[in-house]
């Protein structure tokens, strides 16, 4: 896998590696600089690149691994958690070491690689902490400033693209807006209105399949945008 990823990077690809996937990166690029923290830890995001995130330490329950990446830009650093408090320790006790920021990188950007010392995709899927999604989204924007899809959709929508000759099929699937373990689900499709979906490229017409319902479309930069779209259940939007 390491050889494949090295060839992918050499060909101009970009990588966002988190958690155990760090082991597949070339050690000369990024490697662990110590053991992962035991239990919950916090990361503080560097200013100026992920402006959607509040300027405070954000918890990572699965722990954080410090990283070593020569010449890389540090995107987030480790903040030490409060130690466990027993009956003999109080907030005013001088023996208590308060949480403190460190200069240890836990998220770095080097060339076309962003590495994060935590399995944040899995943690977000389990716990649904919005700050994790914002952090990963900011990282993807750094690596892909012009993604294939440009859309105004709720977070509960999942999008997949398929190419069929000269046309692009954009499959939209709305899911429950709240995710995580132990969350009850209601098997009923929500109705979503006034949606906009676009793909990168120059297309002349857009319609919803099946049925062929045409959608108004227009160009904006490198994208063809279509809408407004009324969505109730899965739908395929075809760009031709």
């Amino acid at each position: 896998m390491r050889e494949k990823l090295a060839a992918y990077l050499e060909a101009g690809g970009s990588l966002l590696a988190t958690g155990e996937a760090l082991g597949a990166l070339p050690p000369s690029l990024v490697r662990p600089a110590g053991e992962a923290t035991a239990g919950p830890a916090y990361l503080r995001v560097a200013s100026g690149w992920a402006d959607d995130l509040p300027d405070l330490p954000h918890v990572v329950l699965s722990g954080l691994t410090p990283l070593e990446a020569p010449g890389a830009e540090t995107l987030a650093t480790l903040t030490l958690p409060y130690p466990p408090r027993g009956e003999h320790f109080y907030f005013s006790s001088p023996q208590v070491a308060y949480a403190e920021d460190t200069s240890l990188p836990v998220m770095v950007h080097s060339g076309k690689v962003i590495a994060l010392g935590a399995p944040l995709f899995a943690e977000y899927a389990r716990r649904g902490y919005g700050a994790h999604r914002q952090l990963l989204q900011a990282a993807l924007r750094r690596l892909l400033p012009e993604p294939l899809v440009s859309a105004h959709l709720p977070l509960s929508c999942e999008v997949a693209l398929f190419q069929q000759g000269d046309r692009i099929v954009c499959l939209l699937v709305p899911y429950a807006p709240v995710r995580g373990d132990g969350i009850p689900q209601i098997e009923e499709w929500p109705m979503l209105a006034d949606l906009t979906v676009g793909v990168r490229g120059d297309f002349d017409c857009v319609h919803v399949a099946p049925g062929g319902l045409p959608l108004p479309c227009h160009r904006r930069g490198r994208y063809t945008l279509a809408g407004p779209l009324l969505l109730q259940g899965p739908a395929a939007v075809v760009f031709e």
Side-chain angles (χ1 to χ4, degrees), residues 85 88-98:
R85 289 185 170 83
H88 301 297
F89 292 89
Y90 304 92
F91 283 99
S92 59
S93 172
Q95 294 95 331
V96 175
Y98 288 96

Side-chain angles (χ1 to χ4, degrees), residues 93-157:
S93 172
Q95 294 95 331
V96 175
Y98 288 96
E100 61 176 338
D101 292 328
T102 75
S103 59
L104 296 174
V106 292
M107 187 175 188
V108 296
H109 185 187
S110 178
K112 293 188 176 182
V113 175
I114 292 180
L116 172 61
L120 216 58
F121 284 99
E123 183 158 332
Y124 176 67
R126 288 194 303 267
R127 308 189 184 277
Y129 180 32
H132 294 167
R133 176 190 55 78
Q134 291 173 299
L135 180 62
L136 294 169
Q137 179 175 285
L140 289 172
R141 284 175 177 169
R142 268 208 157 198
L143 295 174
L144 293 174
E146 292 185 325
L148 291 177
V149 178
S150 175
H152 175 65
L153 300 170
L155 295 175
S156 55
C157 277

Side-chain angles (χ1 to χ4, degrees), residues 49-66:
W49 77 276
D51 296 334
D52 292 341
L53 278 168
D55 184 19
L56 51 87
H58 295 281
V59 66
V60 180
L61 296 177
S62 54
L64 286 162
T65 301

Side-chain angles (χ1 to χ4, degrees), residues 10-233:
E10 187 70 22
S14 300
L15 288 175
L16 172 57
T18 69
E20 294 181 1
L22 295 176
L25 295 180
S28 59
L29 185 65
V30 59
R31 58 184 178 270
E35 297 294 327
T37 60
Y42 298 83
L43 61 79
R44 182 180 289 277
V45 178
S47 62
W49 77 276
D51 296 334
D52 292 341
L53 278 168
D55 184 19
L56 51 87
H58 295 281
V59 66
V60 180
L61 296 177
S62 54
L64 286 162
T65 301
L67 303 177
E68 183 179 357
E73 178 185 358
T74 298
L75 300 182
T77 53
L78 174 67
T79 294
L80 296 175
Y82 290 103
R85 289 185 170 83
E87 58 181 340
H88 301 297
F89 292 89
Y90 304 92
F91 283 99
S92 59
S93 172
Q95 294 95 331
V96 175
Y98 288 96
E100 61 176 338
D101 292 328
T102 75
S103 59
L104 296 174
V106 292
M107 187 175 188
V108 296
H109 185 187
S110 178
K112 293 188 176 182
V113 175
I114 292 180
L116 172 61
L120 216 58
F121 284 99
E123 183 158 332
Y124 176 67
R126 288 194 303 267
R127 308 189 184 277
Y129 180 32
H132 294 167
R133 176 190 55 78
Q134 291 173 299
L135 180 62
L136 294 169
Q137 179 175 285
L140 289 172
R141 284 175 177 169
R142 268 208 157 198
L143 295 174
L144 293 174
E146 292 185 325
L148 291 177
V149 178
S150 175
H152 175 65
L153 300 170
L155 295 175
S156 55
C157 277
E158 293 193 0
V159 182
L161 293 186
F162 303 90
Q163 185 166 3
Q164 297 177 338
D166 294 332
R167 69 178 186 174
I168 297 291
V169 179
C170 182
L171 179 63
L172 305 176
V173 182
Y175 281 99
V178 179
R179 304 193 185 186
D181 289 340
I183 297 177
Q185 303 291 319
I186 298 176
E187 297 299 327
E188 182 179 17
W189 294 114
M191 180 174 291
L192 305 173
D194 296 327
L195 305 181
T196 301
V197 60
V199 298
R200 195 174 61 198
D202 187 5
F203 299 93
D204 298 321
C205 61
V206 183
H207 65 269
V208 180
L213 177 68
L215 287 177
C217 63
H218 64 279
R219 290 293 304 277
R220 180 182 297 172
R222 297 185 63 189
Y223 294 89
T224 300
L225 303 180
L229 171 66
L230 177 66
L231 187 64
Q232 186 172 19

